[in-house]
Short mmCIF file of all heavy atoms in Angstrom, two decimals:
data_model
loop_
_atom_site.label_atom_id
_atom_site.label_comp_id
_atom_site.label_asym_id
_atom_site.label_seq_id
_atom_site.Cartn_x
_atom_site.Cartn_y
_atom_site.Cartn_z
N PHE F 102 -8.43 -3.58 13.45
CA PHE F 102 -6.99 -3.63 13.24
C PHE F 102 -6.56 -5.08 13.34
O PHE F 102 -6.53 -5.65 14.41
CB PHE F 102 -6.28 -2.76 14.28
CG PHE F 102 -4.80 -2.69 14.11
CD1 PHE F 102 -4.25 -1.94 13.09
CD2 PHE F 102 -3.96 -3.37 14.97
CE1 PHE F 102 -2.88 -1.87 12.93
CE2 PHE F 102 -2.59 -3.31 14.81
CZ PHE F 102 -2.05 -2.56 13.79
N LYS F 103 -6.23 -5.68 12.18
CA LYS F 103 -5.84 -7.09 12.15
C LYS F 103 -4.60 -7.24 11.29
O LYS F 103 -4.50 -6.65 10.21
CB LYS F 103 -6.95 -7.95 11.55
CG LYS F 103 -8.22 -7.98 12.35
CD LYS F 103 -9.27 -8.80 11.64
CE LYS F 103 -10.60 -8.62 12.31
NZ LYS F 103 -11.69 -9.14 11.50
N ASP F 104 -3.67 -8.04 11.75
CA ASP F 104 -2.46 -8.37 10.99
C ASP F 104 -1.75 -7.12 10.48
O ASP F 104 -1.35 -7.04 9.32
CB ASP F 104 -2.80 -9.29 9.81
CG ASP F 104 -3.45 -10.58 10.26
OD1 ASP F 104 -3.08 -11.07 11.34
OD2 ASP F 104 -4.34 -11.09 9.54
N ASN F 105 -1.64 -6.12 11.34
CA ASN F 105 -0.97 -4.85 11.02
C ASN F 105 -1.62 -4.12 9.86
O ASN F 105 -0.96 -3.38 9.12
CB ASN F 105 0.52 -5.06 10.75
CG ASN F 105 1.26 -5.46 11.99
OD1 ASN F 105 0.89 -5.08 13.09
ND2 ASN F 105 2.32 -6.22 11.83
N GLU F 106 -2.91 -4.34 9.65
CA GLU F 106 -3.66 -3.63 8.62
C GLU F 106 -4.90 -3.03 9.25
O GLU F 106 -5.49 -3.59 10.16
CB GLU F 106 -4.05 -4.56 7.48
CG GLU F 106 -2.86 -5.04 6.67
CD GLU F 106 -3.28 -5.87 5.47
OE1 GLU F 106 -4.47 -5.84 5.09
OE2 GLU F 106 -2.41 -6.54 4.91
N ILE F 107 -5.30 -1.88 8.73
CA ILE F 107 -6.47 -1.18 9.24
C ILE F 107 -7.62 -1.40 8.27
O ILE F 107 -7.48 -1.18 7.06
CB ILE F 107 -6.19 0.33 9.36
CG1 ILE F 107 -5.02 0.57 10.30
CG2 ILE F 107 -7.42 1.08 9.83
CD1 ILE F 107 -4.53 2.00 10.31
N TYR F 108 -8.74 -1.84 8.81
CA TYR F 108 -9.95 -2.05 8.01
C TYR F 108 -11.02 -1.08 8.51
O TYR F 108 -11.42 -1.15 9.66
CB TYR F 108 -10.46 -3.49 8.15
CG TYR F 108 -9.48 -4.52 7.66
CD1 TYR F 108 -8.63 -5.17 8.54
CD2 TYR F 108 -9.42 -4.85 6.31
CE1 TYR F 108 -7.73 -6.12 8.09
CE2 TYR F 108 -8.51 -5.79 5.85
CZ TYR F 108 -7.68 -6.42 6.75
OH TYR F 108 -6.78 -7.36 6.31
N ILE F 109 -11.45 -0.18 7.63
CA ILE F 109 -12.51 0.77 7.99
C ILE F 109 -13.84 0.10 7.68
O ILE F 109 -14.18 -0.12 6.51
CB ILE F 109 -12.36 2.10 7.23
CG1 ILE F 109 -11.01 2.74 7.56
CG2 ILE F 109 -13.51 3.04 7.56
CD1 ILE F 109 -10.72 4.00 6.77
N ASN F 110 -14.58 -0.24 8.72
CA ASN F 110 -15.86 -0.91 8.55
C ASN F 110 -16.98 0.09 8.24
O ASN F 110 -17.82 -0.16 7.39
CB ASN F 110 -16.23 -1.71 9.80
CG ASN F 110 -15.26 -2.82 10.07
OD1 ASN F 110 -14.69 -3.39 9.14
ND2 ASN F 110 -15.05 -3.12 11.33
N ARG F 111 -16.95 1.21 8.96
CA ARG F 111 -18.08 2.14 8.84
C ARG F 111 -17.62 3.53 9.26
O ARG F 111 -16.90 3.68 10.24
CB ARG F 111 -19.19 1.67 9.77
CG ARG F 111 -20.42 2.50 9.77
CD ARG F 111 -21.47 1.83 10.69
NE ARG F 111 -22.36 2.82 11.22
CZ ARG F 111 -22.19 3.50 12.35
NH1 ARG F 111 -21.15 3.27 13.09
NH2 ARG F 111 -23.05 4.39 12.75
N VAL F 112 -18.04 4.53 8.51
CA VAL F 112 -17.84 5.93 8.88
C VAL F 112 -19.21 6.59 8.79
O VAL F 112 -19.81 6.66 7.72
CB VAL F 112 -16.83 6.65 7.94
CG1 VAL F 112 -16.74 8.11 8.30
CG2 VAL F 112 -15.47 5.99 8.02
N ALA F 113 -19.71 7.04 9.92
CA ALA F 113 -21.02 7.70 9.97
C ALA F 113 -20.82 9.18 10.26
O ALA F 113 -20.15 9.54 11.22
CB ALA F 113 -21.89 7.06 11.05
N VAL F 114 -21.39 10.02 9.41
CA VAL F 114 -21.25 11.46 9.55
C VAL F 114 -22.63 12.05 9.82
O VAL F 114 -23.59 11.80 9.09
CB VAL F 114 -20.66 12.08 8.26
CG1 VAL F 114 -20.53 13.59 8.39
CG2 VAL F 114 -19.32 11.45 7.92
N SER F 115 -22.72 12.84 10.89
CA SER F 115 -23.97 13.53 11.22
C SER F 115 -23.80 14.99 10.82
O SER F 115 -22.83 15.64 11.20
CB SER F 115 -24.27 13.44 12.71
OG SER F 115 -24.42 12.09 13.09
N ILE F 116 -24.77 15.49 10.05
CA ILE F 116 -24.66 16.86 9.53
C ILE F 116 -25.89 17.66 9.94
O ILE F 116 -26.95 17.11 10.20
CB ILE F 116 -24.55 16.85 7.99
CG1 ILE F 116 -25.77 16.18 7.35
CG2 ILE F 116 -23.27 16.16 7.55
CD1 ILE F 116 -25.84 16.31 5.86
N PRO F 117 -25.73 18.99 9.99
CA PRO F 117 -26.90 19.83 10.25
C PRO F 117 -27.88 19.76 9.08
O PRO F 117 -27.51 19.38 7.96
CB PRO F 117 -26.31 21.24 10.38
CG PRO F 117 -24.84 21.05 10.61
CD PRO F 117 -24.49 19.75 9.98
N GLY F 118 -29.10 20.16 9.31
CA GLY F 118 -30.15 20.07 8.30
C GLY F 118 -29.95 20.98 7.10
O GLY F 118 -30.62 20.81 6.08
N SER F 119 -29.04 21.93 7.16
CA SER F 119 -28.85 22.87 6.05
C SER F 119 -27.98 22.31 4.93
O SER F 119 -27.87 22.91 3.87
CB SER F 119 -28.24 24.16 6.58
OG SER F 119 -27.00 23.90 7.22
N TYR F 120 -27.36 21.15 5.14
CA TYR F 120 -26.49 20.56 4.12
C TYR F 120 -27.19 19.43 3.40
O TYR F 120 -28.10 18.80 3.93
CB TYR F 120 -25.19 20.02 4.74
CG TYR F 120 -24.35 21.08 5.41
CD1 TYR F 120 -23.89 20.89 6.70
CD2 TYR F 120 -23.99 22.26 4.77
CE1 TYR F 120 -23.10 21.83 7.33
CE2 TYR F 120 -23.22 23.21 5.38
CZ TYR F 120 -22.77 23.00 6.67
OH TYR F 120 -22.01 23.94 7.29
N ASP F 121 -26.72 19.12 2.17
CA ASP F 121 -27.29 18.05 1.37
C ASP F 121 -26.52 16.75 1.62
O ASP F 121 -25.28 16.73 1.56
CB ASP F 121 -27.23 18.42 -0.11
CG ASP F 121 -27.84 17.37 -1.01
OD1 ASP F 121 -28.84 16.74 -0.59
OD2 ASP F 121 -27.31 17.15 -2.12
N VAL F 122 -27.23 15.66 1.89
CA VAL F 122 -26.63 14.38 2.21
C VAL F 122 -25.79 13.86 1.05
O VAL F 122 -24.63 13.45 1.22
CB VAL F 122 -27.71 13.35 2.60
CG1 VAL F 122 -27.14 11.95 2.72
CG2 VAL F 122 -28.40 13.74 3.89
N ASN F 123 -26.34 13.87 -0.15
CA ASN F 123 -25.63 13.33 -1.31
C ASN F 123 -24.40 14.16 -1.66
O ASN F 123 -23.38 13.62 -2.11
CB ASN F 123 -26.57 13.24 -2.52
CG ASN F 123 -27.67 12.22 -2.30
OD1 ASN F 123 -27.43 11.19 -1.67
ND2 ASN F 123 -28.86 12.50 -2.79
N GLU F 124 -24.49 15.45 -1.47
CA GLU F 124 -23.36 16.34 -1.75
C GLU F 124 -22.18 16.01 -0.82
O GLU F 124 -21.03 15.93 -1.26
CB GLU F 124 -23.79 17.79 -1.56
CG GLU F 124 -22.74 18.81 -1.89
CD GLU F 124 -23.26 20.23 -1.68
OE1 GLU F 124 -24.45 20.48 -1.93
OE2 GLU F 124 -22.45 21.06 -1.24
N ILE F 125 -22.46 15.79 0.45
CA ILE F 125 -21.40 15.47 1.42
C ILE F 125 -20.85 14.07 1.16
O ILE F 125 -19.64 13.85 1.24
CB ILE F 125 -21.91 15.62 2.86
CG1 ILE F 125 -22.13 17.11 3.14
CG2 ILE F 125 -20.95 15.02 3.86
CD1 ILE F 125 -22.57 17.46 4.50
#
């Protein structure tokens, strides 16, 4: 959070093994 702006650096999602990574 800089200069009243939000910068998303990284979003990491952990999923169960039954889902497809590329699909999500």
